[in-house]
């Protein structure tokens, strides 16, 4: 065993040390880049969550009030949310990117297509048909529940 240690020590005496220092520097740079990327990812997640929590405070997570001119209200908030969506997209894993983009597109479509008339129609009591079918259809067509689900789907990507 002592022969092996002597052989290894003689090897390091004759070999130049600059490759080892270079490898160490590259390792330190890689660790620094990883730390910076993690902080950027956390900041992107925090910005995305903060935007949703502030811009949609009266509508999500607890529904307090549905604003007048809901279409204009939601569409006015889309540009800032779009910016934060784009920043966060960089940090979404490739295998989840399609579902992330799909969730965003569904949210944008909802914001552009919702009207006060649709909201008012959903609040009217539906004709009583068979009990289970009416409840399922009412939940699918209730804009408040659809909105809540769309926002929850978007926020699910911040838990990665």
């Amino acid at each position: 065993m002592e022969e092996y240690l002597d052989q290894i020590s003689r090897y390091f005496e004759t070999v130049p040390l600059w490759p080892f220092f270079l490898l160490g520097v590259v390792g330190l740079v890689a660790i620094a880049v990883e730390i910076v990327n993690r902080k950027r990812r956390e900041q992107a997640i925090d910005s995305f969550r903060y935007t949703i929590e502030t811009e949609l405070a009266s509508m999500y997570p607890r529904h307090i009030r549905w604003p007048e001119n809901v279409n204009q209200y939601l569409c006015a908030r889309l540009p800032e949310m779009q910016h934060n969506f784009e920043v966060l997209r960089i940090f979404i894993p490739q295998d989840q990117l399609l579902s992330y983009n799909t969730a965003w597109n569904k949210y944008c479509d909802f914001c552009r297509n919702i009207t006060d008339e649709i909201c008012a129609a959903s609040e009217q009591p539906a004709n009583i048909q068979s009990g289970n079918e009416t409840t399922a259809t009412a939940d699918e067509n209730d804009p408040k529940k659809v909105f809540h689900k769309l926002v929850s789907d978007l926020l699910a990507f911040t838990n990665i």
Side-chain angles (χ1 to χ4, degrees):
M1 180 71 163
E2 200 169 307
E3 290 179 26
Y4 292 120
L5 292 176
D6 287 339
Q7 187 179 6
I8 292 171
S9 67
R10 276 187 267 134
Y11 175 75
F12 280 111
E13 289 174 1
T14 60
V15 170
L17 294 180
W18 68 265
F20 297 109
F21 289 124
L22 184 61
L23 184 62
V25 168
V26 168
L28 289 175
V29 169
I31 290 171
V33 167
E34 179 65 24
I35 290 170
V36 167
N37 279 339
R38 285 181 187 221
K39 288 187 182 210
R40 288 180 54 217
R41 180 180 177 276
E42 289 173 14
Q43 186 178 15
I45 287 172
D46 290 343
S47 295
F48 189 72
R49 283 186 157 278
Y50 179 77
T51 300
I52 288 177
E53 290 171 358
T54 56
E55 297 293 329
L56 307 174
S58 65
M59 301 169 73
Y60 186 88
R62 272 192 19 233
H63 178 75
I64 298 170
R65 67 175 175 83
W66 198 259
E68 294 294 322
N69 298 324
V70 68
N71 179 283
Q72 291 175 354
Y73 180 84
L74 292 174
C75 287
R77 282 142 180 80
L78 276 179
E80 184 172 347
M81 291 180 70
Q82 173 77 28
H83 170 73
N84 288 317
F85 165 80
E86 296 291 337
V87 171
L88 183 59
R89 184 190 341 215
I90 297 168
F91 301 103
I92 299 294
Q94 186 68 34
D95 61 333
Q96 296 177 354
L97 198 54
L98 177 63
S99 57
Y100 181 66
N101 289 332
T102 303
W104 175 253
N105 288 336
K106 285 180 181 178
Y107 175 79
C108 288
D109 290 344
F110 176 84
C111 291
R112 291 183 185 115
N113 296 328
I114 190 71
T115 61
D116 291 332
E117 291 79 24
I118 294 172
C119 296
S122 71
E123 292 175 359
Q124 299 298 324
N127 294 338
I128 300 177
Q129 298 171 348
S130 63
N132 292 340
E133 290 179 14
T134 305
T135 305
T137 306
D139 286 347
E140 292 173 3
N141 294 332
D142 184 13
K144 295 172 187 170
K145 290 183 181 180
V146 170
F147 175 79
H148 193 274
K149 180 174 179 351
L150 292 171
V151 174
S152 296
D153 289 348
L154 283 173
L155 288 176
F157 292 98
T158 62
N159 297 329
I160 299 171

